[in-house]
Amino acid sequence: MKNEILINLIYFLSAYIIFFLIYIFIINRKRKKYEDCKTQLEISYIVNKFNLDLRKTKLSTIKWALTFLNPLIISITFLLVINIESFTFAIIVGFIVMLLLVYSCYEILGRILKKKGDKNV
């Protein structure tokens, strides 16, 4: 039991570190300019859904929050999928878990950023 928890923790941490580094060195390089950041789907989704004022909420704050959040979502989904034996069931569960995590985490992030932006008034 302890070995299984330790192995899952190692899988989670290694997956998180790998995806975090991919986000920093590959994906965030595409988001250097202001116009490039605004065209990213996830950033535009959060800004439009929560009516964030980009003068109060910095675009770099959103970018770095997503840089920490997206590898977390991918790592949790990865951890759940590798523990399922059936391939088709793992794909279905992974898809559903990914959708639920993306929606809920982006909702929480958007509300936090909205509240933070309202405080800066």
Side-chain angles (χ1 to χ4, degrees):
M1 180 69 175
K2 287 185 179 181
N3 284 340
E4 190 174 315
I5 292 172
L6 185 62
I7 289 172
N8 284 333
L9 183 64
I10 291 171
Y11 279 149
F12 175 78
L13 290 175
S14 60
Y16 184 82
I17 290 170
I18 289 169
F19 288 118
F20 183 73
L21 291 175
I22 289 171
Y23 260 82
I24 287 177
F25 293 119
I26 296 174
I27 296 175
N28 276 352
R29 285 202 176 169
K30 294 179 183 177
R31 300 181 187 166
K32 290 245 183 209
K33 296 178 184 173
Y34 180 75
E35 293 302 319
D36 293 339
C37 286
K38 286 178 66 174
T39 60
Q40 292 288 323
L41 183 63
E42 54 204 0
I43 292 175
S44 64
Y45 170 76
I46 289 178
V47 169
N48 292 333
K49 181 170 182 182
F50 294 99
N51 296 323
L52 296 176
D53 187 8
L54 292 179
R55 290 174 286 171
K56 296 175 187 173
T57 305
K58 294 181 182 178
L59 208 53
S60 64
T61 303
I62 299 171
K63 181 174 76 169
W64 279 104
L66 289 172
T67 300
F68 285 106
L69 191 63
N70 286 336
L72 180 71
I73 293 169
I74 294 169
S75 299
I76 290 171
T77 306
F78 171 73
L79 188 64
L80 290 173
V81 167
I82 62 169
N83 288 318
I84 297 175
E85 305 244 346
S86 171
F87 179 74
T88 55
F89 188 62
I91 296 296
I92 293 169
V93 168
F95 183 72
I96 292 170
V97 167
M98 181 80 76
L99 285 177
L100 291 173
L101 283 173
V102 165
Y103 180 75
S104 60
C105 291
Y106 280 19
E107 186 75 25
I108 293 168
L109 176 65
R111 289 179 187 212
I112 290 170
L113 291 173
K114 181 71 173 174
K115 192 176 287 187
K116 184 180 174 186
D118 289 342
K119 282 184 181 179
N120 289 338
V121 172

